[in-house]
Amino acid sequence: MVDALGVGRFLQTFVLALSARGIGTCVQVSIAGYPEVLRDQLGIPEEHRILCGVSIGYPDPTFPANHLDVPRNPLEANVTFLTE
Ligand SMILES: Cc1cc2nc3c(=O)[nH]c(=O)nc-3n(C[C@H](O)[C@H](O)[C@H](O)COP(=O)(O)O)c2cc1C
């Protein structure tokens, strides 16, 4: 079974470390729906499970899509605080 929690923790740290060095990323889980294409194009062996991809590169600040303001859900939509 894929350790999704461990992968998520690694992925966040990886993305933050790259961002701190001025390198942009775009996490994409949708490409995992096309494993045969990824295996063929990237030579990924069958014993490796594909959970997601991460595009990496230097951001172009002049590209309009890089100025999209993508809203976030409010904290309450993702976290439940349990108090006594
Ligand atoms: C785990 C995860 C999976 C994602 N998968 C996709 C995806 O399959 N396709 C996509 O367009 N964006 C996906 N995203 C969103 C983009 O990576 C990115 O967060 C989004 O384009 C907004 O950019 P921003 O986070 O810089 O605001 C995913 C994000 C995360 C954290």
Side-chain angles (χ1 to χ4, degrees):
M1 185 180 102
V2 173
D3 177 5
L5 187 59
V7 173
R9 288 184 62 171
F10 172 86
L11 192 58
Q12 180 178 31
T13 304
F14 182 58
V15 166
L16 289 173
L18 290 173
S19 297
R21 290 160 177 77
I23 301 170
T25 60
C26 184
V27 179
Q28 297 143 336
V29 76
S30 55
I31 65 168
Y34 308 93
E36 65 288 345
V37 176
L38 299 173
R39 292 188 194 286
D40 179 56
Q41 293 295 314
L42 301 174
I44 300 172
E46 284 292 331
E47 64 265 28
H48 289 180
R49 299 183 72 175
I50 301 171
L51 186 62
C52 69
V54 186
S55 298
I56 299 171
Y58 291 99
D60 177 358
T62 67
F63 190 64
N66 287 332
H67 293 282
L68 287 176
D69 183 18
V70 181
R72 270 27 178 188
N73 280 340
L75 183 63
E76 300 74 33
N78 296 310
V79 181
T80 301
F81 293 99
L82 303 175
T83 59
E84 293 181 50

